Amino acid sequence: MKNIATKTLLLLAAALTIASTADAQIIKRNKPKKLSVKAQLAIERQRTDSLSSLVEEYRQRESDWQRAWHDENEARKAKPVSERLTVEYSPSQLDSLSALLKQQQVDETFQKFFEEYVCEPQTFVTDTSLDSLYKSRLDALVSPIHLPYNELVRTSIKRYTDGSGLMSRVLSRAQYYFPIIEEELLKAGLPVELRAMAIIESALQAKAYSRAGAAGLWQFMPATAKSYGLEVNSMVDERYDPYKATKAACKYMKALYNMYDDWSLAIAAYNCGPGNVNKALARAGGKPESFWDVYWYLPSETRGYVPAFIAANYAYAYHKAHNITYDEPALPIAVDTIHIDRLMHTKQITSTIDVDSATIAMLNPQYKLNVIPATTKTYTLVLPANRITEFISKQDSIFAKDSTYLKEYLNPAAVQKKMQEMSVIYHRVKSGETLGAIARKYRVTTKQIMTWNRLKNANRISIGQRLRIEKR
């Protein structure tokens, strides 16, 4: 038994030795062979070359992209302007984008003009060296409207003749708009000097739109415009029509003059409304007879309005004395009118006769979607005088294109969507403002602003908050 046990132990020991040897050989085989320095350098060089190749590939891609972009840009520059502006948009998209961009530019320019040239000045010009000259020039403008001279007028005159370029732009536009305005003023038996009202109201920008919701050359609010017969709806806004808006403005100014029997008060009332002027008259006591008697009882905006009117008349009359020059207007001076009695898109015209869309839009700013909605009544279309005969001779071809350019406008949903996009402005909340004050400013209700902006509490608005205001 002892011998058997000894043999067994010897066999187990031999087996363990063999297993250990086998494991050692496996480990030895799996252990990576140590590379020489030369081999390691070769591997690193290969990796570096691969990385350099990758970097070079990306550089080449970027270079190719830049070259392609440069070539495309140069090719675009080489094209005529008309081809450069060609984008694959539908007619309604093109109309929306173009109109929106232009309107934003006009709004920004108009707001700057209003703050700098119409509002009551924060500081006054103290240089009195030219007082006698300014006064004598104003006295020479014999008019039914009293044009007095004082430090407020002096400051306004300096604003309008300071070489900023404002009067140059106004004089350029005046070549087109003043004949229209003067004709209507004379027909109504009003002083022609009232043409300066359009300067201080809009700087003669037919598409001017104020933050308060007033629009056009004469800055009518929707309610006032409608009360004087102007059409204001989703398709047409006749506040932008220089002919009809001027007629309405003449009626309004005549009514205000009949109310006060004084042009300075009538002009002030045009700006802030008869209600505010009546309150100022009541607060002034005694027997106030002019704007200057109630000056301190009027809103600050209106306190700068009459001096701005006097200064605008001065700058228009004496622009040459101040070396103010101007260019030819962008609008054609000679125009004529066609009466349209059926639905028409302006692209039906521009695609048929030699007149561009920008010209038609400038001459007919009242058509909000570039559509003349003549379904139940006749509308006017103003064209350059040298294109009237061509329009008449090709009228059948123009009308035949209605299905091409009107189909997307005849979809009520599409029209409504577009109108919503084009009739929204945004107000940035300032320190001290309340929702009620903002609502009054834009002639809307507090509840409407809360609905448009999903506000739950009318008292919870913060400085800098952006509020959506829907213009109607």
Side-chain angles (χ1 to χ4, degrees):
M1 290 290 294
K2 185 177 180 180
N3 290 334
I4 293 171
T6 301
K7 288 181 179 180
T8 302
L9 288 172
L10 289 172
L11 288 171
L12 286 171
L16 288 172
T17 301
I18 293 169
S20 298
T21 303
D23 288 343
Q25 289 176 346
I26 291 170
I27 292 171
K28 188 174 181 180
R29 281 200 305 269
N30 292 339
K31 185 178 180 180
K33 184 179 179 181
K34 186 175 181 180
L35 298 174
S36 65
V37 173
K38 185 176 180 180
Q40 290 180 15
L41 287 173
I43 291 172
E44 289 301 321
R45 191 177 296 111
Q46 186 177 5
R47 288 177 181 171
T48 302
D49 291 344
S50 177
L51 183 59
S52 298
S53 174
L54 187 61
V55 170
E56 185 60 32
E57 181 182 347
Y58 278 105
R59 281 179 179 169
Q60 186 63 42
R61 288 183 187 178
E62 184 178 7
S63 177
D64 292 343
W65 177 83
Q66 288 179 338
R67 190 181 299 108
W69 179 85
H70 178 269
D71 292 344
E72 183 180 345
N73 199 37
E74 289 300 313
R76 185 182 63 82
K77 288 180 181 179
K79 291 180 179 179
V81 175
S82 58
E83 292 183 24
R84 268 187 254 167
L85 297 178
T86 301
V87 186
E88 292 300 324
Y89 290 131
S90 70
S92 65
Q93 288 174 319
L94 280 172
D95 291 342
S96 294
L97 292 170
S98 176
L100 198 58
L101 177 60
K102 288 179 181 177
Q103 191 58 49
Q104 285 174 346
Q105 292 171 340
V106 169
D107 290 349
E108 289 169 5
T109 303
F110 173 69
Q111 191 58 38
K112 184 178 179 182
F113 157 77
F114 184 79
E115 291 168 356
E116 293 182 0
Y117 295 94
V118 180
C119 291
E120 181 185 31
Q122 299 299 311
T123 58
F124 295 95
V125 174
T126 56
D127 180 7
T128 60
S129 60
L130 296 175
D131 279 2
S132 60
L133 177 61
Y134 290 155
K135 185 178 186 308
S136 64
R137 285 176 176 174
L138 282 173
D139 289 343
L141 298 177
V142 180
S143 168
I145 304 174
H146 185 215
L147 302 174
Y149 183 78
N150 53 40
E151 65 173 349
L152 285 163
V153 176
R154 178 206 303 142
T155 301
S156 291
I157 287 175
K158 289 287 189 181
R159 284 172 160 183
Y160 278 85
T161 59
D162 63 359
S164 65
L166 168 73
M167 280 307 297
S168 291
R169 295 188 293 273
V170 166
L171 289 166
S172 177
R173 297 173 194 135
Q175 294 175 79
Y176 176 77
Y177 290 115
F178 270 9
I180 298 171
I181 294 169
E182 289 168 359
E183 183 178 354
E184 293 303 327
L185 288 169
L186 291 170
K187 282 181 182 177
L190 299 174
V192 291
E193 288 77 17
L194 288 171
R195 63 195 168 196
M197 292 277 287
I199 296 177
I200 59 173
E201 282 293 333
S202 63
L204 291 182
Q205 297 181 94
K207 290 290 285 183
Y209 190 96
S210 78
R211 290 176 180 173
L217 285 176
W218 297 97
Q219 289 294 284
F220 276 112
M221 294 297 291
T224 308
K226 290 178 180 179
S227 69
Y228 281 91
L230 297 180
E231 183 177 348
V232 181
N233 55 44
S234 299
M235 302 298 289
V236 179
D237 192 337
E238 290 182 340
R239 294 179 295 170
Y240 296 122
D241 184 328
Y243 295 90
K244 293 187 176 181
T246 299
K247 288 179 181 179
C250 288
K251 291 178 184 177
Y252 187 33
M253 287 189 287
K254 200 165 192 174
L256 291 172
Y257 180 73
N258 290 336
M259 188 181 298
Y260 298 107
D261 198 29
D262 176 81
W263 275 117
S264 65
L265 289 174
I267 291 168
Y270 191 97
N271 174 254
C272 65
N276 283 316
V277 171
N278 293 341
K279 287 181 212 173
L281 290 167
R283 288 167 181 160
K287 293 184 179 180
E289 296 179 350
S290 75
F291 165 83
W292 307 102
D293 296 327
V294 297
Y295 178 85
W296 291 109
Y297 300 97
L298 291 166
S300 60
E301 172 191 311
T302 308
R303 292 202 291 266
Y305 194 79
V306 172
F309 170 80
I310 297 170
N313 266 295
Y314 173 92
Y316 179 72
Y318 296 109
H319 65 273
K320 290 181 180 178
H322 291 270
N323 297 316
I324 298 173
T325 59
Y326 54 91
D327 298 324
E328 289 296 314
L331 293 153
I333 297 296
V335 297
D336 206 340
T337 302
I338 291 284
H339 290 275
I340 306 298
D341 59 3
R342 59 185 290 181
L343 195 65
M344 178 189 290
H345 192 289
T346 57
K347 286 189 182 295
Q348 293 174 239
I349 304 165
T350 58
S351 65
T352 309
I353 69 173
D354 186 18
V355 60
D356 59 88
S357 298
T359 299
I360 289 188
M362 284 191 291
L363 294 175
N364 303 274
Q366 66 271 31
Y367 300 122
K368 299 168 79 170
L369 302 181
N370 295 319
V371 173
I372 304 172
T375 53
T376 58
K377 67 176 185 177
T378 299
Y379 286 86
T380 57
L381 172 70
V382 179
L383 290 174
N386 60 357
R387 293 290 171 261
I388 293 293
T389 302
E390 187 181 4
F391 179 93
I392 294 172
S393 64
K394 296 181 179 179
Q395 186 168 292
D396 291 342
S397 299
I398 292 170
F399 286 138
K401 294 182 178 181
D402 56 357
S403 60
T404 302
Y405 292 104
L406 283 170
K407 56 184 178 182
E408 57 188 310
Y409 289 94
L410 296 178
N411 179 347
V415 173
Q416 183 61 28
K417 182 180 178 181
K418 185 173 180 184
M419 285 309 306
Q420 288 174 351
E421 291 171 354
M422 294 178 66
S423 61
V424 174
I425 57 175
Y426 291 91
H427 175 86
R428 189 77 65 178
V429 178
K430 298 175 184 175
S431 176
E433 283 189 321
T434 64
L435 207 60
I438 295 169
R440 287 192 296 275
K441 178 177 181 179
Y442 293 103
R443 306 293 178 92
V444 297
T445 66
T446 303
K447 187 175 180 181
Q448 284 176 316
I449 297 180
M450 292 178 69
T451 301
W452 295 329
N453 295 275
R454 298 181 181 178
L455 301 177
K456 295 182 179 179
N457 190 331
N459 298 318
R460 286 192 175 182
I461 56 172
S462 55
I463 297 173
Q465 184 175 352
R466 193 165 172 258
L467 296 177
R468 175 189 177 96
I469 310 291
E470 295 187 9
K471 300 183 291 188
R472 297 298 180 196

